[in-house]
Amino acid sequence: MALTVPCVAVRGSIGISVGQGPPSYEAVKTFPKDDSKTCKAMAFSPEGRYFAWVNGITAKVLHCDTWKIVTEIKKPKISVIQFSSLGTYLMTLEPFIATQSSPQGTPNLHIWKSESGELVKSFKQKKQTDWEPQWSSDEKICGMIVGADVVLYEDANFEKIVHRINIVKVAKFSISPSNTPYHILCYMPGKPGQPSFGRLFQYPKFEATQAVANKSFFQADNVNIYWNNAGTSALLMTSTDVDKTGASYYGKETLHYLDAKGETAIVMLSKNGPIHAVQWSPKNTEFCVVYGLMPAHATLFNLKCEAVFQFGALHRNSIYYNPQGNILIMSGFGNLRGGVELWDVGQRKLIAKTEAPDTTFLQWSPDGEHFMTATTAPRLRMGNGFKIWHYTGSLLYERPWNEQEELWEVLWQTFPPDTFPEKSISYKAVEGIAPSQPQASKQAYRPPSARGGTTTFKLHDDEEFGISKTSEFNKSAKKTKKKTNKVKKDSEASASSQSNYNNRSTNGQVTSTKTQNATANVPECDDAERCKKMKRIKSKLEQISKLKELLESGKQLEINQLDKIKKEADLLKELEELTL
């Protein structure tokens, strides 16, 4: 490639432009910038050879090596575009319109040669979702749904249907991303009172008895299909619009597994609630699922659908593997506050945490070291712009939009596979910049009557330990005395409880006498704020003791619970300083 650094394409109310990624972030001067305010779509071809966009007048295709336009397609009504697997063909869709002169409508789905703009074939397509023909990874076969059947073509010869899947009605299908042997997974909805099916076929054997794998299920109004990159295993997520049991307002989801060896299974999840996200690792040997009512669980599964690692429970709803598969992002966007976690997948270790509020889009760079977050319209019309981050959580670049402009889409330039090899992971944060927009305040609200003094209370201070408490500002000596006495009584009770736990071994560590003495011998004090803080620390230490007991008994703890245990020494030191 002419550019060794991935570029970023931007589409918005001020047109389309392309800029270099880190470290320069400069505009690509050879790109023919389009200032049109009606740019409806843009796309890079999967293997990185072409870039195309639509501006309401024509569809333009350029070569990414030179950023020179190679073809123009003068079709002003094109609304959606997509490339074939190797970028050889560009597919365009226009709105389907039926008129009195043409009650059956006119062809609105067109397939063109990317290099020359030559029209290959036109079809009628009424659907605006799942409209695109599907290609095998080598473009040998191409398939699309016509009525209730899947029709298949070979070698881009659309004049002859080579095979047809028409056992029963097919509502959705997906061609595996692998080379030969090709596999095709079909979703066949059942009639009322009868099960639906997911059937996996090996091309070109499409009789019902020739299915490689079958999975039946009830309660499926919608189905999403997820292949691993090798095309050997697939996940089928079924969902209903309404949960008839009344357990959920949003319906019910179930996750099923099928593979080319004929194995099938249902993925068992440890928490009730919706399935928020599913993602295969690019390494093809595991997949991650975020599920359950908030705070949601995140679990890593192997190819036997066995849980191999728990990421703990947090407010999250999205998963993003980097292209190399060694770093995983889990985040909470939409109605969540934008928390971002970056994990070392191989070591099962948290690399960093950061926050990207109001994010509507996240995408990894092909280099696997940087990722981009964006706030786009029409989802959000305020605060549009995008940011580029390093995987250690450092913000490297920020491009805000002014209030009169809208950002619609941002895309990383694509590259051929294996262009960027996997690199070792560093846990040391790189140097970054401060965000231009002020972050939301994390200070607790204090009423006017309580302002002007000092306080040790912290917002969400106890929530990390699974506790929700309310702190009141003391105005009288009487309340202060009551609280002080309660601290003393709790300390005496704690001393008795801690004596039963003395010198027990927990995960190779022995609970020290210092911990018991520190929590038991909390002296009476006259400073109300200091007493509150001492009580809070003592409560956390008691929780840590209980967690240690659970760990000793053989119970598997989650990541956040193990992190609490690690904080014991710091809490003891803080308590000791308060008692001086």
Side-chain angles (χ1 to χ4, degrees), residues 17-45:
S17 60
V18 174
Q20 294 183 16
S24 69
Y25 309 104
E26 296 178 355
V28 177
K29 296 180 181 179
T30 54
F31 177 82
K33 187 176 183 298
D34 191 331
D35 295 324
S36 172
K37 296 184 178 180
T38 56
C39 294
K40 300 179 181 179
M42 67 178 183
F44 284 100
S45 60

Side-chain angles (χ1 to χ4, degrees), residues 34-287:
D34 191 331
D35 295 324
S36 172
K37 296 184 178 180
T38 56
C39 294
K40 300 179 181 179
M42 67 178 183
F44 284 100
S45 60
E47 88 304 339
R49 193 176 4 159
Y50 299 109
F51 175 71
W53 75 94
V54 179
N55 61 10
I57 301 175
T58 64
K60 298 182 180 182
V61 181
L62 57 75
H63 206 290
C64 292
D65 280 347
T66 60
W67 299 111
K68 302 295 183 182
I69 295 175
V70 295
T71 188
E72 288 192 39
I73 302 169
K74 295 184 178 180
K75 284 279 189 178
K77 295 183 180 180
I78 294 175
S79 57
V80 190
I81 58 176
Q82 183 168 312
F83 284 97
S84 58
S85 303
L86 296 177
T88 308
Y89 305 97
L90 176 69
M91 298 168 285
T92 65
L93 183 70
E94 303 171 61
F96 181 80
I97 300 175
T99 62
Q100 290 184 348
S101 58
S102 300
Q104 301 300 319
T106 56
N108 62 323
L109 168 58
H110 308 286
I111 300 177
W112 317 80
K113 286 189 176 180
S114 303
E115 188 72 27
S116 63
E118 176 189 346
L119 180 62
V120 178
K121 185 65 177 178
S122 297
F123 300 91
K124 295 177 183 178
Q125 177 60 272
K126 296 181 180 180
K127 296 195 303 180
Q128 294 293 309
T129 57
D130 297 329
W131 62 272
E132 60 272 23
Q134 294 191 36
W135 301 77
S136 60
S137 58
D138 58 3
E139 296 183 350
K140 174 70 175 178
I141 62 174
C142 178
M144 56 193 304
I145 290 181
V146 177
D149 301 343
V150 176
V151 296
L152 298 164
Y153 306 91
E154 288 187 354
D155 301 318
N157 179 11
F158 296 100
E159 302 303 323
K160 179 183 178 182
I161 297 176
V162 179
H163 298 283
R164 184 186 294 266
I165 304 176
N166 60 353
I167 308 168
V168 292
K169 178 181 178 181
V170 178
K172 196 168 190 174
F173 82 105
S174 180
I175 300 176
S176 66
S178 62
N179 289 329
T180 54
Y182 311 109
H183 290 89
I184 299 177
L185 180 56
C186 297
Y187 160 56
M188 303 169 178
K191 297 179 180 180
Q194 296 181 357
S196 301
F197 287 92
R199 284 187 171 142
L200 183 63
F201 299 96
Q202 180 174 314
Y203 186 86
K205 301 175 182 179
F206 301 118
E207 296 297 327
T209 56
Q210 295 176 311
V212 176
N214 282 283
K215 194 75 179 73
S216 62
F217 41 82
F218 288 91
Q219 298 180 335
D221 297 324
N222 304 287
V223 165
N224 289 324
I225 298 172
Y226 305 88
W227 285 100
N228 66 354
N229 286 352
T232 55
S233 302
L235 294 168
L236 202 67
M237 187 173 78
T238 65
S239 60
T240 58
D241 296 327
V242 178
D243 185 356
K244 296 181 180 180
T245 65
S248 172
Y249 175 80
Y250 298 101
K252 184 179 180 180
E253 291 96 2
T254 309
L255 198 60
H256 304 271
Y257 171 88
L258 304 91
D259 66 24
K261 296 179 181 179
E263 299 293 331
T264 64
I266 183 169
V267 181
M268 303 302 296
L269 305 177
S270 61
K271 186 176 184 180
N272 294 327
I275 298 175
H276 304 287
V278 178
Q279 188 78 40
W280 276 98
S281 165
K283 295 182 183 294
N284 303 312
T285 57
E286 58 192 18
F287 59 92

